[in-house]
Amino acid sequence: MTDTAVRADETASSSRPHPLDPASAAEYLAGRDIMAAAGLLPEGDRAPVRFAYYGLAEPPKAEVLAGGPADRRLRAFLVNTDTGESADVVVSLTDRKVIAARTLDPEHDGHLPILDSDFARVDEIVKADPAWRAAMARRGYHDLGKIRTCPITAGRFGPPEDDRRRMVRVLAFVQDREHDLAWARPVDGVAAYVDLIEKTVFKVTDEFELPVPQESGDYDDEAVRGPHRTTLKPIEITQPEGPGFTLDGYALSWQDWSLRIGFDAREGLSLHQVSLQGRPVLYRASIPEMVVPYGDPKFRYWQAYFDTGEYLVGKFANSLELGCDCLGEIAYLDATVTDDTGQPRVIKNAICVHEEDFGILWKHTDIFNGSAQSRRQRRLVVSYFTTVGNYDYGFYWYFYLDGTIELEVKATGVLFTSAFPADGHPYATEVAPGLAGAVHQHLFSARLDMTVDGLANAVEEVDVGGLPAGPDNPYGNAIVQHVTRLTRESQAGRRADGSRGRTWRIISTERANRFGRPTSYTLYPESAPVLLAAPDSPLAARAGFAANHLWVTRYDPDQHWPAGDYVNQHPGGAGLPAFAAADRAIDGEDIVVWHTFGPTHVPRPEDWPVMPVARCGFTLKPTGFFDRNPTLDVPPPPSHCPPD
Ligand SMILES: [Cu+2]
């Protein structure tokens, strides 16, 4: 094993955290004490108040850039599990006091995210319910120890007597033996609707019966997978002089890049103050929302997960394993989140930092001067993996020698399954006998707080196209760019268009390159479909961000979450559509670029029983940011390529 882990020095040189550092265990405890002293956390046997979210309340950009804010703040979402009362609380650790405590109105605000403890509680509630037990018994399941219950966020579909409840909808799967894959055996047609506050099943929908598929999905069982192949020869990564990056606390530098790493229970990994050769590119980048809507319109029409806003993807970050998840010279950072009671929980090795060879950077064999030159590309990788129910998502940020930034999301894990009714069922693929994987989308929202050579930026939409033949274009071969400046928020809700090669150029309105043109970075989208749910559907109201590939808004420290601050059972309209409705000017301003991306997933038989990684993402490339290829100084690899 040549892979080695370098523990990042998390005891940064000064004891005072950088304003953008994630909250530490000691800070979570201190914040909890402040809330308790303010009477927000009743103690005692029942202690019904739980933390649905707890993390750093990041200071506004102006305060950070001015040398640091006056105080350090944490934000908590508190739910009283006896009364349902929910509050959004901000505490100052510096001043040791509660700054704000807003009580939510479920009618307008929806509900706070699902709690860790909801999973266990729901299992008990459902299995104690006579109507649900009867539905299972009718299907031949009397031993409830073999049933796995899967609580799913409810969305908001009416009727009002449902919506006022803090609720989940629960599907069932069979796990006959300890290592069986329960997702292989959905008990379809029956769902329990659970009120998490009353702690009862208030409705059982029992619409149809289909046979529970029988084929094993245990992909680690030799009877299923066959013997391991023996034909793979070792590939080992060696970096005899160690890694090429340095990590000081959360500050990372590599080649011409420097940035800070952040982590949050809700949105997971974030990157801050990304600069190249000392020139700012991005003030902050993260993936603050994703929605996974399923396309089966009948019994399970409500199935759509907002993994970030409803479940909190960061909380489910994996501890990564050297040699399995990351190869080479690795530096790990731990992530500190909290449990439902606000007690810190450290996820060891949650964030992986390493360097990769990435094939050819540039190459040319010249027909005139005989020069044959080749250079190798490298990238710095900052990544983490999270498991949200059946799916696993890896978020990989790449920084290249030539100034390119890329985000790649790796979706893997297990399909969410149902029973396959019959041929002609258009909403799903049969992936094993009698087993269906429904068509669905994975739509991510990237929040890119761009600072290309400073705060004053603007966005141009750039299409390419031919021109009709005419006096200036006699043979009709002309190709030009059509550039449209997006000047107001109302004009900046845009769709990608692969047929026009549409890109969006984020330009500095203050700095020019040697040609006198604005320095810029270009966002290259993948042009996959946006949200396919009907525009007037209940889901479209809640996932408004996913109606466009692009949004551009004026920076506002309170506008961070693409589907709104409170996503669970929210009536809709919050987040990006509401931000953009202000119609602020965005030309030459401090702007945020938001990008929706991700696949529409028509499951394949090959995605079962565990899915090979499916990739999606986007690229940001310097465009006139430099005056020429910035990698001419990259030397040929010394030991392999003799100079010509
Ligand atoms: Cu999928």
Side-chain angles (χ1 to χ4, degrees), residues 83-144:
T83 64
E85 187 176 295
S86 298
D88 182 349
V89 176
V90 178
V91 299
S92 166
L93 297 177
T94 314
D95 299 336
R96 297 199 58 79
K97 66 179 186 193
V98 174
I99 303 283
R102 186 170 97 74
T103 301
L104 268 59
D105 171 7
E107 174 69 22
H108 297 104
D109 296 325
H111 289 272
L112 293 178
I114 299 297
L115 300 167
D116 294 342
S117 53
D118 287 337
F119 289 91
R121 178 168 282 165
V122 160
D123 192 64
E124 287 169 21
I125 295 168
V126 170
K127 287 179 177 171
D129 181 69
W132 184 84
R133 292 168 70 103
M136 287 297 128
R138 249 195 325 280
R139 289 164 170 83
Y141 293 102
H142 302 277
D143 178 1
L144 298 183

Side-chain angles (χ1 to χ4, degrees), residues 292 294 391 393 411 415 440-442 599 601 611:
V292 187
Y294 284 73
Y391 261 105
Y393 297 100
L415 296 168
H440 58 277
Q441 298 187 280
H442 303 256
H601 186 181
M611 187 177 122

